[in-house]
Amino acid sequence: MQQQPYKIGWFSTGRGEGSRNLLRSTVNSIIRGDLKVDIPFVFCNRVKGEHEGSDEFLRLAANYNLPVVCVSSKKYKQESGDGWRSRFEAEVMQKLEPYTFDLGVLAGYMLIVGRELCGKYPMINLHPALPGGPIGTWQEVIWQLIEKKSKETGSMMHLVTPILDGGPVVSYCKFSIRGKSFDKYWSEIKGLPLWEIQKHEAERNPLFVEIRKQGAAREIPLVISTIKAFSEGRIKIDGGKVVDAKGKPIKGYDLSREIDKKVKEPPAA
């Protein structure tokens, strides 16, 4: 009897090119046969017409013939007042009822997941920082790295809990933000307060741009490698804990070497 493919539900706000690239690269890995999983649905917390970026994301999913499920979190925020998240997630779970999946993957999903939703489904989230590092959006993370004059950063996948970016670590990769590609940019802002950099250059600051460039290059292979590990049974979720194939709890796989190798490889034709 042939084993059923591992199924992942894809969750994204789809607000920018990064979200589209994550979905595009994952689907292309499936098409090439590198990743043996199915995506039974793509969920977006925006509906058509709410935002240009998410509209492009929804078109991309449709072009891949992926079933799309949408519930507007914005509508619930505006109409429901206090407790909107519970009512929003109740509708989300109702609309996802027809679909079965082994793991939910949050890739560019810009909401904190409530207790009901992450309690019902095993879910992992991409976060653009190392375990124990800054929390928040990737923009907020980079500004914190610059403010703290950090020497390294990275990305991680972690279990989704109601605590923002605080779930147990599944996998991660790290890279230095010092050395040849970075030192000249650190020198340019030496002695400048963060507010001055943000005021005059904002996200155009060369150091900000380089950190994001290096981080973004690693996010896609990290997501794909982590999904592959789940699909092959090398990582599992058991009772809210991350365990290996033998059921032994782990603190997250360091995939830095594997991811660095993939980043340096030329893109597939």
Side-chain angles (χ1 to χ4, degrees), residues 14 20 68 84 115 172 192 200:
R20 296 192 293 275
V68 175
W84 68 268
R115 192 173 302 276
Y172 65 94
L192 295 176
H200 294 291

Side-chain angles (χ1 to χ4, degrees), residues 139-227:
Q139 294 95 333
E140 292 168 339
V141 166
I142 293 175
W143 286 126
Q144 291 177 69
L145 293 170
I146 292 174
E147 184 175 28
K148 295 177 181 178
K149 300 178 176 59
S150 301
K151 294 183 178 180
E152 66 177 9
T153 186
S155 293
M156 69 171 173
M157 301 290 292
H158 64 87
L159 293 189
V160 176
T161 70
I163 302 173
L164 177 63
D165 302 328
V169 179
V170 174
S171 60
Y172 65 94
C173 64
K174 57 187 174 182
F175 63 94
S176 174
I177 52 176
R178 300 287 176 164
K180 184 178 179 181
S181 299
F182 293 95
D183 285 351
K184 61 180 178 179
Y185 300 138
W186 282 109
S187 297
E188 289 173 359
I189 64 169
K190 187 176 181 180
L192 295 176
L194 184 66
W195 65 264
E196 188 172 334
I197 301 169
Q198 293 173 321
K199 178 181 179 181
H200 294 291
E201 295 182 308
E203 295 175 14
R204 300 184 305 277
N205 173 264
L207 177 59
F208 185 102
V209 171
E210 186 64 21
I211 293 174
R212 178 55 186 163
K213 175 185 173 183
Q214 296 292 336
R218 288 163 172 79
E219 289 176 2
I220 290 172
L222 177 64
V223 169
I224 293 174
S225 292
T226 303
I227 293 172

Side-chain angles (χ1 to χ4, degrees), residues 79-90:
E79 297 180 0
S80 298
D82 293 340
W84 68 268
R85 192 182 305 276
S86 294
R87 291 186 282 274
F88 162 72
E89 293 193 346

Side-chain angles (χ1 to χ4, degrees), residues 45-157:
N45 63 296
R46 286 174 173 165
V47 297
K48 185 178 179 180
E50 279 191 338
H51 190 274
E52 182 179 345
S54 52
D55 284 354
E56 289 188 36
F57 175 81
L58 295 174
R59 284 193 290 270
L60 175 66
N63 287 341
Y64 283 123
N65 295 316
L66 296 172
V68 175
V69 179
C70 297
V71 180
S72 173
S73 57
K74 180 180 179 181
K75 177 182 176 182
Y76 272 88
K77 285 181 181 180
Q78 292 175 338
E79 297 180 0
S80 298
D82 293 340
W84 68 268
R85 192 182 305 276
S86 294
R87 291 186 282 274
F88 162 72
E89 293 193 346
E91 183 178 347
V92 173
M93 289 185 284
Q94 181 183 25
K95 288 198 171 184
L96 294 183
E97 199 63 38
Y99 304 95
T100 59
F101 59 104
D102 299 293
L103 181 71
V105 177
L106 277 60
Y109 189 68
M110 305 308 295
L111 290 180
I112 297 174
V113 177
R115 192 173 302 276
E116 294 90 349
L117 190 58
C118 65
K120 184 171 183 177
Y121 306 117
M123 309 174 84
I124 61 174
N125 179 54
L126 171 66
H127 179 59
L130 287 173
I135 63 173
T137 65
W138 63 264
Q139 294 95 333
E140 292 168 339
V141 166
I142 293 175
W143 286 126
Q144 291 177 69
L145 293 170
I146 292 174
E147 184 175 28
K148 295 177 181 178
K149 300 178 176 59
S150 301
K151 294 183 178 180
E152 66 177 9
T153 186
S155 293
M156 69 171 173
M157 301 290 292

